[in-house]
Amino acid sequence: MQLQPEQEPLMYRILATALALLCLATSAHAMSFNKAIKQADPTAKYLFYLHGAIVEEMGKAASSKRYGVYNYDRIIEHFEDRGLTVIDEVRGKVNPNKYAAKITKQVRMLMTAGVPARNITVSGFSKGGYITLLVASSLNNPEVGYVIMAGCGRGKDARPFELFLKNKRGARLKGRIFSIYASSDMEAGSCRPAIEQADARAIEFRETRIKSQKGHGLFYQPRPDWIEPTAIFAKGGR
């Protein structure tokens, strides 16, 4: 189709508007903590999402030969589609204890800004899940929620979790804790050994072992078998 001269400016304006809306749609899903704290809403359900170590190394384009593409953006979008306000950060390589201290501070700031503790959930996968466990042992608040996705390591990845147990960090756990892992995962398993160190009066704990052949890669994609229960938990359900 050939445009007449008088039609060209209108068509360009339409295309420019469409492009601007597309850019807004593709960038609006992610919320930095700085933006979240400025727009703190006491009625919103907040979910901190802490990604796995592979994203530290490769960025959002992370891909594993064994597990395939880590679909970071789609995971965030699926949580937001379920009514959650997601706070995320693509971090570089970090010390888990130092990063857990950062997230702990951010959760406290969000509560100080008026967000009820029960409206806040910290979630993480793999290394992010282990960091989530560290936050749960640092924040000292029984109302905050935590979702640990394949974050209690075993096998070749067991050392951080073993140190957590050896140092009796489980005794400091507080909060509503939900652990999820795949039955075929050779890199992570049950978080129950940490829970057994905790004061039962300070925690609510449940754990789901998903029957899946995806192993650790189960959490690389926004699959309903873990996205849905995580979102339900973060919104206050069981």
Side-chain angles (χ1 to χ4, degrees):
M1 180 181 70
Q2 184 173 359
L3 295 176
Q4 297 300 316
E6 65 273 11
Q7 293 177 299
E8 289 183 0
L10 176 60
M11 181 59 70
Y12 290 147
R13 287 198 297 271
I14 292 172
L15 289 173
T17 301
L19 182 59
L21 290 172
L22 179 61
C23 290
L24 179 63
T26 56
S27 63
H29 77 273
M31 179 175 285
S32 68
F33 175 74
N34 288 338
K35 183 177 179 181
I37 199 70
K38 289 177 181 177
Q39 301 177 3
D41 179 357
T43 67
K45 301 290 186 178
Y46 287 89
L47 180 76
F48 285 79
Y49 175 73
L50 312 180
H51 57 71
I54 190 171
V55 179
E56 287 187 356
E57 300 163 3
M58 302 175 68
K60 279 191 179 183
S63 181
S64 162
K65 289 182 180 179
R66 184 173 184 180
Y67 301 126
V69 174
Y70 193 120
N71 210 329
Y72 185 98
D73 283 334
R74 290 292 292 151
I75 289 170
I76 302 298
E77 288 167 5
H78 272 261
F79 282 135
E80 293 225 331
D81 286 347
R82 287 161 173 78
L84 296 167
T85 300
V86 182
I87 299 173
D88 72 313
E89 176 185 35
V90 179
R91 63 181 189 270
K93 291 186 179 181
V94 297
N95 175 285
N97 285 287
K98 290 182 179 179
Y99 198 78
K102 173 182 175 178
I103 299 300
T104 299
K105 180 179 179 181
Q106 290 181 348
V107 173
R108 287 177 176 150
M109 289 174 66
L110 203 57
M111 290 189 292
T112 299
V115 179
R118 287 196 73 88
N119 284 10
I120 302 171
T121 300
V122 181
S123 71
F125 161 60
S126 194
K127 183 176 179 178
Y130 178 65
I131 293 171
T132 299
L133 189 67
L134 291 172
V135 175
S137 70
S138 302
L139 190 59
N140 195 33
N141 189 306
E143 297 297 310
V144 174
Y146 303 92
V147 183
I148 302 166
M149 310 164 193
C152 296
R154 65 178 179 181
K156 66 181 179 64
D157 297 305
R159 183 162 175 74
F161 187 51
E162 288 175 350
L163 286 174
F164 184 94
L165 298 176
K166 182 179 179 180
N167 294 331
K168 306 288 186 185
R169 284 290 295 266
R172 294 161 53 186
L173 287 170
K174 287 188 179 181
R176 299 174 294 109
I177 301 173
F178 179 26
S179 165
I180 317 176
Y181 66 101
S183 58
S184 58
D185 196 332
M186 301 305 292
E187 299 175 45
S190 175
C191 293
R192 194 166 293 279
I195 302 304
E196 290 172 353
Q197 294 183 348
D199 182 345
R201 297 168 297 180
I203 61 170
E204 296 176 26
F205 177 71
R206 67 186 180 99
E207 186 166 71
T208 297
R209 181 173 176 264
I210 298 174
K211 292 183 179 179
S212 169
Q213 297 305 309
K214 298 292 184 181
H216 210 57
L218 174 70
F219 299 94
Y220 274 49
Q221 300 289 330
R223 302 179 190 280
D225 44 5
W226 69 268
I227 284 278
E228 199 65 37
T230 298
I232 291 170
F233 178 87
K235 293 176 75 174
R238 296 289 296 177

